[in-house]
Amino acid sequence: MSLAITYDRTGDPAEVLRVNDIGDPGPPADGQIQVKVAAFPIHPGDLLAISTPRTVHGDQATGVEATGEVILTGGQVDRFAPGNRVAFFPHAGAWAQVVNVDAALAVPVPDDVPDHVAAQMLCNPITMLMLRRAAEQHFNVGFDGVVLNNVAASSVGRLFTASAEHHQIATISLVRSDQRAEQLRDRFPSVPVVSTSSHDWVDQVRTAAAGRPIPVVLDPVGGVGVTDLLTVLSPGGSLIIYGELAGEPMSLHAAALLHSGQVIRGMTINRWFSAVAPEQRISDVASAITIATHFTQHFDVAGVYSLDRIADAARHASQPGKIGTVVVTP
Ligand SMILES: NC(=O)c1ccc[n+]([C@@H]2O[C@H](COP(=O)([O-])OP(=O)(O)OC[C@H]3O[C@@H](n4cnc5c(N)ncnc54)[C@H](OP(=O)(O)O)[C@@H]3O)[C@@H](O)[C@H]2O)c1
């Protein structure tokens, strides 16, 4: 018996996800390792994939990232041996007890990185690195330019702030509640935080920028809020959209872009394999491991659940106000 989380229709993840015996995965093929999964994260993107309406044929595997212990190796695998701890991403069907994974997608986990950190040490840090590279394409980021980091209390948002501080990139954090703002001030005392719950938040952002340009806004929300974000973005600046939390179309008058030279661009880790050079990917993975080792305190865990409580875990993962990632231990 080998259990995995699957769904056979799209909908509310708390309702459609189920624990399914998918049977023994069989021996790993050449180039694969067999991993006994110790923990996996529930990312907003996982929940979106399960809830986005579409026709589903049969049981769909879930999850893309996990950590665990190598229990078998297939042929032509010399990087790993049974007993090694690994993290892997992206592997469709990571939410399972035992998986055969392409060894090229796995990375070793340092001894001092606990499972709950290792479970989330690839997708979010690599996303953050892609965002930082996109931001640094503006010549004044890292000099007098300030990056406005919307949804800064999220897992990706906190990693971005920590990394930007380390690389001396000025940022302003934007959140949607005073409570979240207070938590971020405690965590990053030297980084200004503004809450969109204040009616004058646009003025507060300008005050925090203190006359410096804001050439980049990072935004995983989209929706109608985009218009306000563009009002604080400098002429010629980039609004980088990397999520769709608003769940609604962006509404924007053409004149907003016409007269400002501003650019709206999307960024997704799904293009990491297709659009990022192999050398850069190797460097990103090494950086992700370093980030997990040195910024462990920013890999907060919102809750830990057993496999049979997947519905509770999914509910928690989409709950407003949580800090950190929900982790499941199969
Ligand atoms: N493009 C990519 O490749 C990529 C990769 C990874 C993540 N992402 C995206 O990055 C975003 C953050 O992911 P995460 O794992 O860091 O999230 P997380 O830790 O689960 O945090 C979610 C955050 O979203 C906020 N939020 C939810 N709905 C919102 C809304 N409508 N308006 C404003 N804020 C809202 C919550 O704020 P409260 O605390 O106020 O509830 C919370 O801070 C997600 O959209 C995710 O899909 C994109």
Side-chain angles (χ1 to χ4, degrees), residues 103-150:
L105 301 178
V107 303
V109 175
D111 289 345
D112 51 353
V113 173
D115 283 343
H116 70 265
V117 175
Q120 40 172 327
M121 84 176 201
L122 294 173
C123 176
N124 286 346
I126 292 171
T127 300
M128 180 279 287
L129 290 167
M130 290 178 77
L131 290 172
R132 210 181 72 212
R133 272 203 293 281
E136 286 173 329
Q137 284 175 4
H138 285 264
F139 68 91
N140 46 5
V141 166
F143 296 94
D144 67 335
V146 185
V147 176
L148 182 61
N149 180 14
N150 193 18

Side-chain angles (χ1 to χ4, degrees), residues 42-45 48 123-124 127 130-131 150-158 175-177 180 183 196 220-221 241-247 267-270 317 319-326:
I42 299 184
H43 293 303
L48 192 64
C123 176
N124 286 346
T127 300
M130 290 178 77
L131 290 172
N150 193 18
V151 190
S154 73
S155 302
V156 174
R158 285 179 280 107
V175 291
R176 63 175 175 175
S177 72
R180 219 57 66 234
Q183 286 165 334
T196 56
V221 180
I241 301 278
Y242 69 99
E244 46 184 295
L245 288 168
M267 203 290 306
T268 168
I269 195 169
N270 296 338
Q319 196 176 295
K322 73 168 176 58
I323 291 283
T325 300
V326 169

